[in-house]
Amino acid sequence: MTTIASLSAAELGPLFAARSLSPVEVARDALERIERFEPQINAFVVRDAEATLAMAEASQARWLKGEPLGPLDGVPVTIKDNIGVAGWPMRRGSAVASDAAFAEDAPATARLREAGTVFLGKTTMPEYGWKGVGDSPLSGITRNPWNIATGPGGSSAGAASCAALNLGCLHLGTDGAGSVRIPAAFTGVVGLKPTYGRVPAWPVSTMGFLAHLGPLTRTVTDCALAMNAIGRPDIRDMTAMIDRAPDYVDGLKGGVKGLRLAWSPTLGRDVPVDPEIAALTRAAALAFRELGATVEEVDPGFDDPIETLMTIWSAGAALALRSAGPAERARMDPGLVAVAEQGDKVAGAAYVDALLNQRNLLAHKMAQFHARFDLLLTPTLPLPAFETGRNTPGHGAYGDDWTRWTPFTYPFNITQAPAISLPCGLTGAGLPAGLQVVGAFGRDALVLRAAAAFETARPFARIDAPVGSNRAG
C-alpha cells in the first residue's frame, strides 16, 4: 500500500498538481513521524513545526492557483547544521557555539527556498564535522535506523538517518572526506558528493577545497532533482562554477551500454574489507556488465594520500578553533581539539604543498585514469555500520584513527571529483552495504546516469521504522 511516507520527491509534484495530495498533508505526516521516531534516532538539532507548516501552506496556495515554483514546490527537506538557514542557529554540532539566529540562507538553502521546498529542520553532525561518526557534545548520539545500536556514520549523520526513514525527501549534507557518502553507505541511501564548486557554499568551510555540498536521498531521481535546484551559481562563493548545472533528471535516461568501468576492491592497498561487504560490492560492480558496460578489475595506481588529507584537514580544524580558549576547548570533543592542536603545528609551506602540489598530482593521475575508464567503482566503506559511542570500529584491523576505516572516500575529496554511494545489499545482520561510483572532474551527470541504471536493475531495500533497541551508547 502506498503511504505518504513511501513517496519520493519526484512522485509528490504530480500528486500536488492533481490535488490528490497537498503539501500541508505531506508536512504534517513528516512532522508526526519525526515526533514518533526522533526519540530513537536523535537526528535533529533544530525543529520548528510552526515555520514548517507556514511554508507548506504557502506552497499549497501556489499549487491551488496553478503557480508552483517548480517540481520541488512543497517537497519536505532537511538541512545539516553547518549550512546556514536564515532565522535558525548554525552551531556546527558544537555546544560552545552561539545559538543566535543566522542572518541569511546559504546558497544551497536559498535555492531550495526559491524552489518552494518545505524546511523540516536542521540535522545533527559531529562537532565541526571532524569525524566520520554521528555524535557531538551538542546533540549526543545519532543512531542508525537499520539498527539503533549502531551509528549512521558522519558527518552528515542526521541527514542520513532522516533519508533512510524518509523524514523529508531531500537532505542537504556536506562532504570533506566522505561525510555524505559514509552515512549514505551505513544507512542504505543515495549520497552524492558533486564535483567541487558545482554547489556553491557560504560561509566557506575551513577545510577549503576538500569541502563539498551534496544531497542524501532515497532515490537517484530525487538526488538529480536536488542537484537541479542547488547546482546554480552564487556570487558569494568565488570558487564555485559560474554556469548553471545541466538538467540532471533528463540526463538519467542514457544507461551505461558501452561505458568502460574499472572495479577496484581495495584501491590497490592493504585494506581489510569485511567479507560480506567485499562480496556484496563485487556483485554490484559486476552487475554493470548485465547493463551493457565493460567492467575490468584494475586499480587506479596511487598511494594512500592520507598525509595530504590530514595536513589540510588538521590545519582547517586549527582555523575553526582559533578563537576557542581553554574553557571552551574543555567542553569540546577531545578528538577535535587534538586534531586542531596537530594543525597548529602545520607549517605554511607544508600546507601549500598539500593543497596545491600533492592534490594536483593525484588529480592529474586520476585524470589519466579516466582517459581509459569512464567510471571507477569501489566499495564506499570496507565494513558495515558499527556500535555507537565509538570513533572507530573498536578492533585492531582499522587502528585508532577514523580515517583508517574510510579509505575509499577521502581520495576523491582531494581530487574534487564527483562520487556517489549507492546501496547495494544487506549483510546477514541486516545492515546496508554501499557501492561507490566515481567519475572524472565535472562528469556528475554521467555518475548519476550510471547510478540510475544500477538502481533500475537492482532496486534498493527500504525501511519504514527504526529497528532494535538502545543497547549501546
Side-chain angles (χ1 to χ4, degrees):
M1 182 179 69
T2 300
T3 63
I4 293 176
S6 69
L7 295 170
S8 67
E11 292 168 324
L12 288 178
L15 294 174
F16 295 157
R19 301 189 183 183
S20 56
L21 187 65
S22 77
V24 172
E25 290 176 287
V26 172
R28 289 190 184 280
D29 179 80
L31 291 172
E32 186 277 326
R33 287 184 294 114
I34 291 170
E35 192 69 27
R36 181 159 28 113
F37 297 145
E38 178 64 1
Q40 295 170 277
I41 62 169
N42 187 35
F44 286 90
V45 289
V46 174
R47 288 189 285 160
D48 186 343
E50 184 177 344
T52 297
L53 290 173
M55 296 180 82
E57 288 163 1
S59 172
Q60 182 167 298
R62 291 190 294 270
W63 281 104
L64 289 173
K65 287 192 289 186
E67 299 175 354
L69 297 175
L72 293 181
D73 204 335
V75 169
V77 304
T78 72
I79 298 160
K80 189 177 175 181
D81 190 30
N82 61 347
I83 303 171
V85 178
W88 288 350
M90 184 173 73
R91 303 184 72 182
R92 299 181 176 91
S94 180
V96 303
S98 170
D99 61 0
F102 203 67
E104 61 182 321
D105 286 335
T109 311
R111 302 296 86 80
L112 289 177
R113 196 185 295 274
E114 292 161 6
T117 64
V118 174
F119 297 177
L120 296 174
K122 300 196 76 176
T123 52
T124 58
M125 60 182 289
E127 194 164 26
Y128 285 91
W130 81 273
K131 60 184 178 180
V133 294
D135 63 88
S136 79
L138 176 64
S139 57
I141 292 173
T142 298
R143 298 179 181 276
N144 187 341
W146 288 89
N147 180 343
I148 61 175
T150 68
S155 63
S156 303
S161 292
C162 287
L165 292 171
N166 216 20
L167 304 177
C169 298
L170 310 178
H171 308 273
L172 274 188
T174 61
D175 190 316
S179 290
V180 163
R181 291 159 291 154
I182 293 166
F186 274 177
T187 61
V189 300
V190 178
L192 173 68
K193 178 187 74 68
T195 296
Y196 180 83
R198 180 72 277 170
V199 181
W202 179 262
V204 295
S205 169
T206 60
M207 302 307 172
F209 292 112
L210 296 177
H212 304 228
L213 280 83
L216 295 98
T217 62
R218 270 194 168 189
T219 72
V220 175
T221 300
D222 280 4
C223 188
L225 275 169
M227 285 299 298
N228 280 356
I230 64 178
R232 294 164 54 194
D234 192 292
I235 61 173
R236 291 173 287 178
D237 186 349
M238 65 177 291
T239 67
M241 297 179 183
I242 61 173
D243 64 316
R244 181 167 178 160
D247 186 337
Y248 290 116
V249 175
D250 186 62
L252 298 178
K253 304 171 185 175
V256 296
K257 187 175 181 179
L259 293 183
R260 301 159 299 168
L261 309 186
W263 158 241
S264 180
T266 64
L267 287 180
R269 305 201 296 271
D270 184 20
V271 176
V273 180
D274 176 271
E276 284 188 284
I277 298 296
L280 288 167
T281 53
R282 176 178 290 276
L286 297 181
F288 280 95
R289 289 178 177 168
E290 302 167 17
L291 301 174
T294 61
V295 180
E296 179 182 346
E297 184 169 331
V298 60
D299 297 318
F302 58 77
D303 294 330
D304 187 353
I306 186 63
E307 290 187 15
T308 299
L309 174 85
M310 289 311 300
T311 297
I312 302 170
W313 193 265
S314 62
L319 180 60
L321 269 61
R322 68 190 184 282
S323 61
E328 289 177 310
R329 292 186 180 218
R331 297 170 57 201
M332 301 179 93
D333 188 321
L336 169 62
V337 173
V339 171
E341 290 173 348
Q342 177 184 343
D344 283 329
K345 302 172 185 175
V346 173
Y351 181 80
V352 172
D353 181 54
L355 190 66
L356 299 181
N357 297 332
Q358 300 306 316
R359 192 168 59 80
N360 285 337
L361 285 172
L362 181 55
H364 179 65
K365 184 175 285 289
M366 283 306 300
Q368 292 178 311
F369 183 80
H370 282 297
R372 296 170 51 212
F373 295 98
D374 297 295
L375 297 167
L376 169 65
L377 310 176
T378 77
T380 306
L381 293 170
L383 74 171
F386 53 85
E387 196 174 47
T388 60
R390 299 178 179 273
N391 289 344
T392 65
H395 52 79
Y398 301 102
D400 297 325
D401 185 342
W402 73 265
T403 58
R404 298 298 177 182
W405 58 264
T406 61
F408 301 113
T409 56
Y410 60 76
F412 307 108
N413 293 84
I414 295 171
T415 66
Q416 302 183 326
I420 197 169
S421 180
L422 303 171
C424 64
L426 300 175
T427 68
L431 294 171
L435 177 74
Q436 180 174 235
V437 182
V438 182
F441 187 93
R443 300 300 304 275
D444 304 63
L446 180 62
V447 168
L448 285 164
R449 195 177 96 201
F454 179 78
E455 179 184 47
T456 299
R458 302 281 290 271
F460 306 151
R462 301 282 179 247
I463 192 169
D464 297 317
V467 176
S469 58
N470 293 344
R471 299 191 298 272

